[in-house]
Amino acid sequence: MSNTQDRWTLEDITALFDGVFAERYQTRLIRGGDEPLYRPANSETPYHQVIFARGYYASALHEISHWCIAGEKRRQLEDYGYWYCPDGRNAEQQRAFEQAEVAPQALESIFTRACGRVFHVSVDNLGGDIEVDIEAFAAQVEARAQRYLEEGLMARAKAFQVALKSFYSNQLTLTEAVAQAHATLESMDEALSA
């Protein structure tokens, strides 16, 4: 995989996510339109959908991060039941946004690095009229990422990190990378039940 444009395809990230989580969690990764969304299963769609924006690879990793953090009850609610204020936030809204985004962006940074890509924080407020301290936010995100790595990732996040590393760094096939992730989930399940 010498051409970096060919290295990170939407087909690959979708195949990895669906391969690891579709059967066990009835959840699929879906390319969406302008806005990302999490949609739980319903009478028309028998599986949960992690919908990422505009076909952006980074958006897929970010939305997967939210899904990995959300608990079982949250995963039954559209957009996990969270508040979202779109671009153009005031200072108070921006602080709330950044506080809510530290953990998912920290996890996204771990996933991004597992893919061999460079991570960039997002303050997601281009239309706002306030000055945002990107460096301070980036430091918070990096500190949380280090804490995750030191304390250990939650099961779904760890499994996905394994899949990404196996495929992108270790150059395993999609099938082999998914199998590595399944083995990780099983070993974590065994550790919890021991």
Side-chain angles (χ1 to χ4, degrees):
M1 290 188 203
S2 58
N3 183 341
T4 56
Q5 290 293 77
D6 294 338
R7 185 164 187 214
W8 299 293
T9 69
L10 297 178
E11 292 78 14
D12 290 342
I13 195 74
T14 301
L16 286 168
F17 183 88
D18 290 359
V20 176
F21 302 117
E23 185 177 331
R24 184 178 187 137
Y25 293 96
Q26 292 76 50
T27 305
R28 299 193 52 216
L29 184 64
I30 308 293
R31 179 181 179 162
D34 288 342
E35 294 295 329
L37 178 69
Y38 173 76
R39 187 174 291 142
N42 58 41
S43 58
E44 289 99 41
T45 308
Y47 51 86
H48 310 293
Q49 299 174 72
V50 176
I51 303 168
F52 63 100
R54 300 185 187 148
Y56 293 139
Y57 194 95
S59 177
L61 292 178
H62 183 77
E63 297 312 313
I64 292 166
S65 299
H66 276 290
W67 181 80
C68 286
I69 290 170
E72 191 172 339
K73 288 183 182 178
R74 288 266 185 204
R75 293 193 313 270
Q76 301 307 312
L77 305 171
E78 185 165 300
D79 253 359
Y80 314 107
Y82 289 124
W83 156 90
Y84 177 73
C85 186
D87 189 17
R89 293 181 286 277
N90 64 32
E92 183 181 330
Q93 292 167 330
Q94 184 63 25
R95 277 191 299 278
F97 170 83
E98 289 177 18
Q99 184 178 15
E101 279 291 308
V102 169
Q105 288 198 35
L107 193 51
E108 177 189 354
S109 76
I110 292 167
F111 291 160
T112 301
R113 291 176 189 132
C115 295
R117 293 171 59 106
V118 176
F119 173 74
H120 303 283
V121 296
S122 172
V123 294
D124 193 26
N125 199 20
L126 302 174
D129 59 357
I130 60 164
E131 191 166 322
V132 177
D133 189 344
I134 295 174
E135 290 180 14
F137 180 60
Q140 290 178 335
V141 168
E142 182 57 30
R144 177 65 67 91
Q146 288 309 310
R147 197 172 102 205
Y148 276 144
L149 293 172
E150 289 166 10
E151 295 174 1
L153 294 172
M154 54 290 268
R156 287 175 290 134
K158 181 63 179 175
F160 197 61
Q161 180 197 33
V162 165
L164 294 172
K165 276 187 169 183
S166 297
F167 184 70
Y168 290 107
S169 297
N170 301 339
Q171 306 260 319
L172 298 182
T173 66
L174 285 167
T175 302
E176 292 167 334
V178 166
Q180 292 285 318
H182 285 166
T184 299
L185 284 170
E186 289 168 19
S187 70
M188 293 181 91
D189 283 350
E190 289 171 9
L192 283 174
S193 63

